[in-house]
C-alpha cells in the first residue's frame, strides 16, 4: 500500500471529499514529524451526484440526534452504576454526559452537544455501535 502524501493539495481535497460524503465532521492524523487536522463544515447546499440539494433550516420544534463519537459498546450510564437506563424525557445542556462508549477498559463519554430535551434512547444498552451511529433523540 502506498502512503498518502499529506502535502499534496489534490490528495487533501480528495480526502476532504471522502470525509464529507461519509458525514464525518473532522479527522486528526498525528505522525512523528507532522500533524494534520481537517475540520469539515457543512455548506448551505449539499452536492449529490450531479445536483445540489438545498438544506432546509430546522424548525424550533424539530428534533436532532446525538451520534456516537467513536465505535464501541454503548452504555446509557456508567457501567459501575446499578441503574441501567436513563430517565426520559430530561433536560440537558451541551456539556452533559448522557452515555458512554466502551472500548475494552476505556470509557469515552457521549456529550449532549447542545442544550435541549433528551427525549429518547435509540440504541440498546451494550449494543456495538459505529462512529456516527444515532444514540439519542434531542429536541432543542
Amino acid at each position: 500500500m502506498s502512503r498518502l502524501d499529506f502535502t499534496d493539495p489534490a490528495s487533501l481535497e480528495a480526502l476532504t471529499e471522502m470525509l464529507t460524503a461519509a458525514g464525518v465532521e473532522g479527522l486528526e492524523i498525528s505522525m512523528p514529524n507532522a500533524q494534520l487536522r481537517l475540520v469539515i463544515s457543512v455548506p448551505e447546499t449539499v452536492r449529490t451526484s450531479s445536483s445540489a440539494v438545498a438544506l432546509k433550516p430546522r424548525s424550533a420544534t424539530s428534533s436532532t440526534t446525538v451520534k456516537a463519537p467513536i465505535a464501541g459498546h454503548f452504555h446509557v450510564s456508567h457501567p459501575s452504576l446499578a441503574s441501567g437506563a436513563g430517565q426520559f424525557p430530561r433536560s440537558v445542556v451541551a456539556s452533559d454526559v448522557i452515555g458512554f462508549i466502551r472500548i475494552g477498559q476505556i470509557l469515552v463519554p457521549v456529550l449532549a452537544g447542545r442544550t435541549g430535551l433528551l427525549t429518547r434512547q435509540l440504541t440498546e444498552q451494550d449494543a456495538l455501535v459505529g462512529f456516527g451511529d444515532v444514540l439519542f433523540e434531542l429536541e432543542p
Side-chain angles (χ1 to χ4, degrees):
M1 177 189 280
S2 63
R3 297 186 95 184
L4 185 59
D5 181 6
F6 294 116
T7 62
D8 177 30
S11 295
L12 292 175
E13 181 180 5
L15 181 58
T16 303
E17 288 174 4
M18 287 185 279
L19 293 171
T20 302
V24 176
E25 295 176 357
L27 171 74
E28 187 170 332
I29 300 170
S30 296
M31 298 169 284
N33 59 351
Q35 183 175 18
L36 172 69
R37 181 180 295 162
L38 294 174
V39 178
I40 310 300
S41 63
V42 179
E44 287 301 312
T45 59
V46 176
R47 301 236 176 245
T48 60
S49 60
S50 62
S51 63
V53 179
L55 296 176
K56 296 179 182 176
R58 295 186 190 270
S59 68
T61 60
S62 70
S63 63
T64 61
T65 56
V66 179
K67 297 179 180 181
I70 196 165
H73 289 272
F74 171 71
H75 292 271
V76 71
S77 61
H78 195 282
S80 68
L81 300 176
S83 68
Q87 301 293 323
F88 300 99
R90 74 175 187 258
S91 294
V92 294
V93 296
S95 61
D96 283 353
V97 175
I98 57 174
F100 294 91
I101 303 295
R102 181 180 49 80
I103 309 160
Q105 300 298 318
I106 299 170
L107 289 177
V108 177
V110 176
L111 302 178
R114 61 182 47 117
T115 299
L117 187 66
L118 196 62
T119 57
R120 285 193 312 155
Q121 176 183 330
L122 302 172
T123 302
E124 292 184 30
Q125 176 74 9
D126 207 34
L128 182 61
V129 297
F131 170 80
D133 285 354
V134 177
L135 305 175
F136 296 98
E137 189 173 86
L138 182 98
E139 291 181 5

